[in-house]
Amino acid sequence: MSFFGAQNTAAASSTTPAAEKDVELSEPPTDSISSMSFSGQADYLAVGSWDNSVRIYEVLAGGGSQGKAMYQHQGPVLSVCWNKEGNKIFSGGADNAGRMFDVTTGQATQIAQHDAPIKVVRWIDVPGSGLLATGSWDKTIKYWDLRNPTPVATVTLPERCYTFDVQYPLMVVGTAERHIQIFNLTNPNAAYKTLVSPLKWQTRVVSCFTAAQNNGFAVGSVEGRVAIHTDALATGSDGTIHFWDKDARTRLKTFEAAAGPISTTTFNRNGNIFAYAISYDWSKGHSGMTPGLPNKIMLHSCKDEEVRKRPARKA
């Protein structure tokens, strides 16, 4: 573990026009930003990067920020997440390894292994316990009990894992060749439904609804389209961000276009802070990594009208 950085107190007073502007996080990673995740217990932000690091920041009242800790992989970090209690961070990367950072002790240990890069890590809050799920380009998802060095189960996927999300007991997995597999985690060893993405191009992300009456999910593809399955967020390589009311199918907010791709986003536990990374997303391969591309994390203070469902119109 290493501590870094001085507190960024650049946030303006709430009475000034500048307070309406998004605030830049101090001392971002030195290479492309691949993944971000807020703790479910406090405003601590974990950030994974192609510079092989995971950085942890504290986001302060008013938009200030301070680097708190950092640990390393042996290759680019592709995914980060927290456990429910907010005292452990998990990460997976191109070194084929999954790692755990203990916030209390400041120690990082390897807790998962695949035969190819780990593209996604997600904590599954199973009733009475918890498991780490890791999805890899080796076409498997593995479930890990942190008390054991070997996976408790391995699921073979039809193709390389590009994305998955969990809202227990629902898990939705997106792979290469536009396969979508849906799991009921009460029976985690086999998908109960497999379908082909309705979108024409490669799946980039799937996201389960967190506060819906019916379980559902959204699928986003590399060309910037989103399909809803049953408040959605859409971001793009063109630097745009939109908040949507998925039920009313209306746009709640549109951000000004950024100067580079939006590589990853996340909300804090209360939904009043939205973090987004303006960073090269590797959608155009190595040739697209040109000098001068921005590499920064922005913090947006959300207003109720930006993230709340609008009342239904009366007939």
Side-chain angles (χ1 to χ4, degrees), residues 38-40 42-43 266-275 302:
F38 269 109
S39 165
D43 287 334
T266 187
F267 284 95
N268 72 338
R269 68 196 190 285
N270 300 321
N272 57 11
I273 301 174
F274 173 64
C302 297

Side-chain angles (χ1 to χ4, degrees), residues 120-193:
V120 191
V121 294
R122 290 290 183 268
W123 181 253
I124 302 175
D125 190 36
V126 180
S129 62
L131 293 172
L132 179 68
T134 55
S136 170
W137 291 343
D138 65 9
K139 304 181 184 180
T140 67
I141 284 182
K142 296 183 179 183
Y143 302 105
W144 305 85
D145 182 329
L146 301 183
R147 297 167 295 186
N148 299 315
T150 57
V152 296
T154 299
V155 177
T156 300
L157 302 173
E159 252 295 347
R160 291 156 290 165
C161 179
Y162 283 167
T163 176
F164 73 85
D165 196 21
V166 175
Q167 186 66 28
Y168 190 87
L170 175 68
M171 182 171 76
V172 182
V173 182
T175 75
E177 304 301 330
R178 298 169 48 237
H179 297 290
I180 303 291
Q181 291 202 307
I182 304 171
F183 291 77
N184 183 333
L185 290 174
T186 59
N187 180 27
N189 294 328
Y192 77 83
K193 187 174 184 180

Side-chain angles (χ1 to χ4, degrees), residues 294-306:
N295 196 68
K296 57 186 178 180
I297 298 168
M298 305 299 295
L299 302 173
H300 174 77
S301 178
C302 297
K303 302 180 180 67
D304 279 351
E305 62 267 24
E306 295 174 346

Side-chain angles (χ1 to χ4, degrees), residues 251-269:
R251 190 177 299 173
L252 299 175
K253 178 178 174 60
T254 297
F255 286 67
E256 291 185 11
I262 306 299
S263 59
T264 181
T265 66
T266 187
F267 284 95
N268 72 338
R269 68 196 190 285

Side-chain angles (χ1 to χ4, degrees), residues 218-276:
V219 180
S221 66
V222 295
E223 90 272 25
R225 293 183 179 272
V226 177
I228 303 295
H229 288 257
T230 89
D231 306 312
L233 162 71
T235 67
S237 296
D238 59 359
T240 59
I241 301 174
H242 305 283
F243 292 168
W244 293 84
D245 181 333
K246 65 176 177 60
D247 297 319
R249 298 184 181 272
T250 57
R251 190 177 299 173
L252 299 175
K253 178 178 174 60
T254 297
F255 286 67
E256 291 185 11
I262 306 299
S263 59
T264 181
T265 66
T266 187
F267 284 95
N268 72 338
R269 68 196 190 285
N270 300 321
N272 57 11
I273 301 174
F274 173 64
Y276 59 97

